[in-house]
């Protein structure tokens, strides 16, 4: 994260010890969280007039981010399920068409064989 104009989005969730954990597997220590709660440096920009992050607001933001992330994952899972069902229907339909075509060819071949025997 840091400088360099990074646009990476970080999502947090609370673990069983009420510590903050980055979903992608990077753990933030209590000291890092405390520094995040401290007022910005004089040269830095401040997000609030007090400059500090309230624990309740932080928990609320984390909960909102988690809810959004869960909703996104649920939506993606639903899309994958629907896409899977669509692919399965296409596969079944293709197999049916192929089976019919094979049967027509066999019938035509048998008909040609019988004509050839008659002559």
């Amino acid at each position: 994260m840091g400088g360099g104009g990074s646009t990476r989005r970080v999502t947090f969730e609370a673990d069983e010890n009420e510590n903050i954990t980055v979903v992608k597997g990077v753990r933030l220590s209590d000291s890092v969280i405390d520094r995040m709660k401290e007022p910005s440096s004089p040269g830095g920009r401040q997000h609030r007039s007090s400059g500090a992050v309230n624990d309740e607001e932080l928990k609320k933001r984390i909960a909102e981010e988690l809810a959004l992330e869960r909703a996104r994952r649920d939506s993606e899972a639903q899309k994958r399920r629907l896409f899977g069902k669509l692919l399965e229907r296409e596969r079944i339909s293709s197999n049916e068409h192929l089976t019919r075509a094979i049967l027509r060819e066999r019938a035509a071949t048998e008909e040609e064989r019988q004509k050839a025997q008659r002559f």
Side-chain angles (χ1 to χ4, degrees), residues 35-85:
R35 282 185 288 169
M36 291 171 65
K37 292 178 184 178
E38 291 176 0
S40 302
S41 63
R45 54 179 231 227
Q46 293 184 342
H47 295 286
R48 305 186 187 319
S49 58
S50 69
V53 176
N54 180 328
D55 280 344
E56 290 302 315
E57 288 182 46
L58 182 60
K59 286 180 183 179
K60 182 180 175 185
R61 275 197 251 153
I62 290 168
E64 289 171 354
E65 285 290 327
L66 283 173
L68 288 173
E69 182 66 20
R70 284 185 191 118
R72 185 189 61 77
R73 277 186 272 152
D74 290 347
S75 174
E76 288 176 1
Q78 184 178 14
K79 286 178 187 176
R80 283 192 300 273
R81 282 192 302 274
L82 290 174
F83 187 68
K85 287 179 183 179

Side-chain angles (χ1 to χ4, degrees), residues 1 7 14 22 24 30 33 36 43 54 56 68 81 110:
M1 310 256 172
T7 58
V22 177
K24 297 238 181 203
D30 289 337
I33 294 169
M36 291 171 65
N54 180 328
E56 290 302 315
L68 288 173
R81 282 192 302 274
E110 181 63 23

Side-chain angles (χ1 to χ4, degrees), residues 6-52:
S6 174
T7 58
R8 176 187 259 178
R9 181 181 172 105
V10 178
T11 306
F12 299 97
E13 71 179 8
D15 66 9
E16 57 276 349
N17 298 325
E18 293 300 313
N19 294 326
I20 306 290
T21 305
V22 177
V23 171
K24 297 238 181 203
V26 178
R27 292 191 173 273
L28 299 177
S29 67
D30 289 337
S31 64
V32 172
I33 294 169
D34 290 339
R35 282 185 288 169
M36 291 171 65
K37 292 178 184 178
E38 291 176 0
S40 302
S41 63
R45 54 179 231 227
Q46 293 184 342
H47 295 286
R48 305 186 187 319
S49 58
S50 69

